[in-house]
Amino acid sequence: MDLFDIAIKLEQEGAQLYTELAQRAPTEGFTTIFKMLADDEKKHESYFRALQGRSALVTVSSSVLEQAKQVFRDFNPDNFFVIDGQIPAYEEALLVEKKSIDFYTEQLPSLEFEAEKKALKLIIAEEKRHYAIMEEIIKLVTRPHRWVESAEFGVREEY
């Protein structure tokens, strides 16, 4: 199996996971984010197919980060309920993104053509944004249950 076959499988795995998360999402905002992440993973799959066939230059672009920021701004923890298995599923998504980032970073030096390296770097950057989004979702979901409000605990990070 070559780099592109493995990359295509990784992207399919990510798209499937995000599609499942969208179906079980507890809020409309989360559903939107997960659908966009699934779409991005499908785009990445098509980019890898194009690179594999050396048929097209790849340009990676996504607006998921900007839209996710809006969902995060509008998030109201009082109207949010944790669903069984939700946090482990989000942590699994983090692992899938991390696996992709690590694999692509390892494979970068083995690529021959500069266009392929550039495309892979763009995809790595995109996967890092996906990772950051999932980290933020986990914070949003878990923080209200873990946050202790007391002056005796000293200076806390901005909430």
Side-chain angles (χ1 to χ4, degrees), residues 3-16:
L3 156 70
F4 298 118
D5 289 332
I6 296 169
I8 289 167
K9 284 195 181 296
L10 285 172
E11 298 303 327
Q12 289 171 339
E13 178 184 346
Q16 180 181 350

Side-chain angles (χ1 to χ4, degrees), residues 33-81:
I33 290 173
F34 293 137
K35 284 181 180 178
M36 291 187 317
L37 288 168
D39 289 344
D40 277 0
E41 298 296 330
K42 290 174 188 172
K43 286 179 197 173
H44 295 171
E45 179 187 347
S46 68
Y47 298 153
F48 283 118
R49 288 189 189 283
L51 287 170
Q52 187 176 35
R54 303 201 196 293
S55 61
L57 293 176
V58 173
T59 58
V60 178
S61 64
S62 172
S63 63
V64 69
L65 185 60
E66 292 75 27
Q67 292 190 9
K69 285 180 183 179
Q70 186 59 45
V71 170
F72 297 151
R73 279 192 286 276
D74 296 341
F75 183 76
N76 182 353
D78 296 332
N79 299 331
F80 184 81
F81 300 99

Side-chain angles (χ1 to χ4, degrees), residues 45-154:
E45 179 187 347
S46 68
Y47 298 153
F48 283 118
R49 288 189 189 283
L51 287 170
Q52 187 176 35
R54 303 201 196 293
S55 61
L57 293 176
V58 173
T59 58
V60 178
S61 64
S62 172
S63 63
V64 69
L65 185 60
E66 292 75 27
Q67 292 190 9
K69 285 180 183 179
Q70 186 59 45
V71 170
F72 297 151
R73 279 192 286 276
D74 296 341
F75 183 76
N76 182 353
D78 296 332
N79 299 331
F80 184 81
F81 300 99
V82 176
I83 299 168
D84 286 340
Q86 179 183 20
I87 294 169
Y90 297 167
E91 290 169 342
E92 180 184 349
L94 266 184
L95 292 175
V96 168
E97 294 296 347
K98 178 90 171 100
K99 185 166 70 170
S100 296
I101 293 165
D102 292 345
F103 177 73
Y104 301 154
T105 303
E106 285 174 17
Q107 298 303 314
L108 202 54
S110 69
L111 294 175
E112 298 174 30
F113 302 106
E114 199 57 41
E116 290 176 342
K117 286 183 182 184
K118 183 178 178 183
L120 192 57
K121 286 178 185 177
L122 292 171
I123 292 171
I124 290 169
E126 184 84 5
E127 296 291 2
K128 286 180 179 179
R129 286 191 289 277
H130 292 179
Y131 187 89
I133 289 168
M134 289 311 302
E135 276 187 321
E136 202 58 36
I137 286 174
I138 291 170
K139 278 185 195 175
L140 283 173
V141 171
T142 60
R143 184 174 268 173
H145 303 288
R146 294 181 183 167
W147 191 259
V148 177
E149 194 64 44
S150 175
E152 72 181 319
F153 289 107

